[in-house]
Amino acid sequence: MAPRVLISDELSEAAVQIFRDRGIDVDFQPDLGKDKDKLAEVIGQYDGLAIRSATKVTEKILAAATNLKVIGRAGIGVDNVDRDAASKKGVIVMNTPFGNMITTAEHAIAMMFAVARQIPEASASTHAGKWEKSKFMGVELTGKTLGVIGAGNIGGIVCDRARGLKMKVAAYDPFLSQEKADKMGVEKVELDELLARADFITLHVPLTETTKNILSRENLEKTKTGVRIINCARGGLVDEQALADLLTSGHVAGAAFDVFAQEPAKENALFNLPNVVCTPHLGAATSEAQENVALQVAEQMSDYLLTGAVTNALNMPSVTAEEAKVMGPWIKLADHLGSFIGQMTDEPIKAINILYDGTVSEMNLAALNCSVIAGIMKRANPDVNMVSAPVIAAERGVKISTTNQAKSGAFDGYIKVTVVTAKRERSVAGTVFSDGKPRFIQIKGINIDAEVGAHMLYTTNEDVPGIIGMLGMTMGENGVNIANFTLGRSAAKGEAIALLYVDDVVPASVIGKLEKTGLFQQVKPLAFDVA
């Protein structure tokens, strides 16, 4: 059955056609996003949801999205998606961060020109039949210092364009290395220095707890007299009332805002102030950008729903289509290892340590980590997946550590998972053979060679004669068919383990009979998704 995708905001016909051409059952309802009750009513029918900014994907919407696997945002900002709720629900949230970079950067430069030369007010005055040349005295950009807060994708383009205008560029970005700053031709500075020196300040950071009100009243008061502020990034980065006060006092000479703390912005402290340029969130509003992000989100969502490839996800590591093909068996192995150890562990887990050896150590370890953690967490929460598992583990205070090393044994590559509880450590290792099938190769330090079965019985005991016969007899007497079995031991008369492959779930009554013999340290029924 083909995956179903709902498009609840305006997307280009070309994007809709991409879904159709890829074999996706697409439902184009561009006005549905404005009706949250109707959206909640129908969202359970779809595997994917493609949106722009009008659709608000709230916790309530996600609760009704019983089949939803991916949300694709045509654009950068995902303020309209409850990412925490999506992650807990196991829904991937994607955006298209590169489709409108040029457009947004150009808008910031245009807004800087507009506020420097008071173009909107001068245009309105001229349209009104006035001729007020002396009223609209502007400033040049050449030779001025532009302070760029956030020198990532869009901020980096703004830096490049500003240097082309012969501006001096100072950038504040905690993630900007000195080497990268030198390559960009910008001066890397701390925020306070930027505030004190910049003639123009432009913001290009996402809205997070760290960046919220980064231009607070206190920081705005640190700016030099006559500064002009441009925000084409996100509302909430600037204390708008404080900025209005400083504009009124004359400390700030002008401002140009495309985004606001509350949108749609029907009222705002910045409205109707002199030399304040306001636009209604037009940063990405060019025909080229709108087409680019629409096409990108359609391709990304189709790739994920059809091949498992993850691109530009905000709550899961990206996996290319090529990686998905190669890593598929290893991701399955990682899930099986986690599932095995999760089913074996009855007490709270304090830490999960994952070792990657050989060829697998060069793969996308972040994705493999997610699969291991999901496998472990499934026993407590069957609905967990690779997206939600790391969130749940973090909420529970589980520490995750990863080690990768060169080939060290007989296998080209293997994964070893160890969980730590207050009582013990427990480990299991596995590999993928040339046939693409996952294998368990070590349990509790005991080497074995065991395929993964849908229904298995795991036992541990002292290595003494008669155990296997007794197991077979007990199973047979209770109507449990053994399809195959694998044995291992630490040494003669040491600790021994057995993995029995059975046709169905072993009844609790049979488990009880085996435990009552007193011969086994552990008797555990196991179940794996081998589809």
Side-chain angles (χ1 to χ4, degrees), residues 5-7 9-28 50-52 72-74 96 289-302:
V5 168
L6 171 65
I7 301 175
D9 288 335
E10 287 286 353
L11 282 190
S12 70
E13 178 56 36
V16 178
Q17 191 60 45
I18 285 175
F19 283 118
R20 292 179 181 137
D21 291 345
R22 297 288 299 272
I24 303 290
D25 182 3
V26 62
D27 190 358
F28 183 45
I51 63 172
R52 285 198 189 276
R73 163 70 161 100
T96 52
Q290 294 300 296
E291 187 74 358
N292 287 341
V293 296
L295 299 181
Q296 285 179 20
V297 81
E299 292 285 7
Q300 289 175 195
M301 292 179 68
S302 297

Side-chain angles (χ1 to χ4, degrees), residues 95-109:
N95 67 351
T96 52
F98 308 114
N100 55 13
M101 293 190 307
I102 296 293
T103 289
T104 304
E106 287 183 353
H107 194 65
I109 295 293

Side-chain angles (χ1 to χ4, degrees), residues 29-216:
Q29 298 190 49
D31 296 322
L32 186 58
K34 301 170 186 175
D35 188 341
K36 59 183 180 181
D37 293 329
K38 181 63 176 176
L39 180 60
E41 182 183 323
V42 303
I43 191 62
Q45 306 171 29
Y46 299 96
D47 302 287
L49 176 64
I51 63 172
R52 285 198 189 276
S53 58
T55 299
K56 311 300 181 188
V57 187
T58 63
E59 187 174 4
K60 179 182 176 182
I61 297 296
L62 286 160
T66 51
N67 293 308
L68 196 64
K69 300 173 181 65
V70 58
I71 298 167
R73 163 70 161 100
I76 296 179
V78 289
D79 304 350
N80 53 323
V81 179
D82 189 330
R83 273 195 283 170
D84 290 339
S87 296
K88 290 177 182 177
K89 184 80 173 177
V91 177
I92 291 177
V93 180
M94 298 176 170
N95 67 351
T96 52
F98 308 114
N100 55 13
M101 293 190 307
I102 296 293
T103 289
T104 304
E106 287 183 353
H107 194 65
I109 295 293
M111 294 286 269
M112 183 164 60
F113 272 114
V115 75
R117 301 300 295 269
Q118 303 180 64
I119 291 172
E121 289 179 286
S123 176
S125 171
T126 306
H127 275 291
K130 303 175 184 178
W131 196 258
E132 301 175 299
K133 289 183 64 175
S134 60
K135 180 179 178 180
F136 300 111
M137 186 62 61
V139 296
E140 290 184 355
L141 300 184
T142 299
K144 298 296 190 301
T145 297
L146 174 64
V148 180
I149 299 177
N153 294 322
I154 296 171
I157 295 170
V158 170
C159 291
D160 179 67
R161 299 297 191 270
R163 290 181 63 243
L165 295 169
K166 307 301 181 185
M167 298 184 79
K168 302 169 186 174
V169 182
Y172 166 70
D173 189 327
F175 303 103
L176 178 66
S177 67
Q178 187 60 55
E179 181 182 5
K180 177 67 172 176
D182 292 343
K183 188 175 181 180
M184 293 169 63
V186 304
E187 183 182 359
K188 176 178 166 64
V189 298
E190 294 301 316
L191 182 59
D192 281 354
E193 184 178 352
L194 182 150
L195 297 174
R197 289 174 47 195
D199 300 295
F200 294 82
I201 296 174
T202 181
L203 297 106
H204 300 286
V205 293
L207 180 63
T208 66
E209 287 302 315
T210 304
T211 62
K212 185 177 182 180
N213 268 355
I214 190 169
L215 290 189
S216 60

Side-chain angles (χ1 to χ4, degrees), residues 122-418:
S123 176
S125 171
T126 306
H127 275 291
K130 303 175 184 178
W131 196 258
E132 301 175 299
K133 289 183 64 175
S134 60
K135 180 179 178 180
F136 300 111
M137 186 62 61
V139 296
E140 290 184 355
L141 300 184
T142 299
K144 298 296 190 301
T145 297
L146 174 64
V148 180
I149 299 177
N153 294 322
I154 296 171
I157 295 170
V158 170
C159 291
D160 179 67
R161 299 297 191 270
R163 290 181 63 243
L165 295 169
K166 307 301 181 185
M167 298 184 79
K168 302 169 186 174
V169 182
Y172 166 70
D173 189 327
F175 303 103
L176 178 66
S177 67
Q178 187 60 55
E179 181 182 5
K180 177 67 172 176
D182 292 343
K183 188 175 181 180
M184 293 169 63
V186 304
E187 183 182 359
K188 176 178 166 64
V189 298
E190 294 301 316
L191 182 59
D192 281 354
E193 184 178 352
L194 182 150
L195 297 174
R197 289 174 47 195
D199 300 295
F200 294 82
I201 296 174
T202 181
L203 297 106
H204 300 286
V205 293
L207 180 63
T208 66
E209 287 302 315
T210 304
T211 62
K212 185 177 182 180
N213 268 355
I214 190 169
L215 290 189
S216 60
R217 183 179 294 274
E218 179 184 1
N219 281 341
L220 286 168
E221 289 174 349
K222 294 177 182 178
T223 58
K224 67 188 294 187
T225 301
V227 70
R228 290 167 172 83
I229 312 287
I230 298 97
N231 185 12
C232 293
R234 279 285 169 265
L237 299 176
V238 182
D239 183 333
E240 292 165 352
Q241 184 58 60
L243 177 58
D245 293 344
L246 290 170
L247 282 159
T248 302
S249 72
H251 178 80
V252 176
F257 272 52
D258 184 49
V259 291
F260 304 90
Q262 295 294 327
E263 294 184 6
K266 300 297 178 67
E267 296 180 353
N268 192 280
L270 299 175
F271 289 176
N272 300 313
L273 291 177
N275 205 22
V276 174
V277 182
C278 294
T279 52
H281 207 143
L282 299 179
T286 63
S287 56
E288 295 89 346
Q290 294 300 296
E291 187 74 358
N292 287 341
V293 296
L295 299 181
Q296 285 179 20
V297 81
E299 292 285 7
Q300 289 175 195
M301 292 179 68
S302 297
D303 284 343
Y304 175 68
L305 291 170
L306 297 174
T307 71
V310 180
T311 307
N312 295 325
L314 301 173
N315 57 350
M316 181 181 166
S318 290
V319 179
T320 67
E322 290 72 22
E323 284 179 321
K325 293 175 185 176
V326 175
M327 291 179 60
W330 288 97
I331 287 176
K332 197 69 176 176
L333 170 67
D335 178 76
H336 289 330
L337 294 173
S339 179
F340 180 94
I341 217 161
Q343 292 178 79
M344 295 298 302
T345 305
D346 296 318
E347 58 266 16
I349 295 172
K350 297 173 65 177
I352 301 171
N353 305 320
I354 310 169
L355 170 67
Y356 298 100
D357 181 281
T359 54
V360 70
S361 69
E362 300 173 0
M363 295 183 184
N364 187 333
L365 301 189
L368 290 169
N369 281 353
C370 290
S371 188
V372 169
I373 300 165
I376 292 172
M377 297 289 170
K378 277 178 184 174
R379 183 185 180 191
N381 183 353
D383 295 327
V384 76
N385 65 12
M386 288 175 64
V387 178
S388 58
V391 177
I392 295 172
E395 287 178 345
R396 296 181 180 179
V398 179
K399 295 181 179 178
I400 313 294
S401 67
T402 300
T403 304
N404 58 311
Q405 62 187 28
K407 182 176 181 290
S408 63
F411 300 100
D412 289 337
Y414 70 85
I415 302 173
K416 182 178 181 180
V417 181
T418 303

Side-chain angles (χ1 to χ4, degrees), residues 438-450:
R439 300 284 212 289
F440 296 126
I441 59 172
Q442 191 182 84
I443 299 172
K444 297 179 68 176
I446 299 173
N447 293 333
I448 59 168
D449 178 7

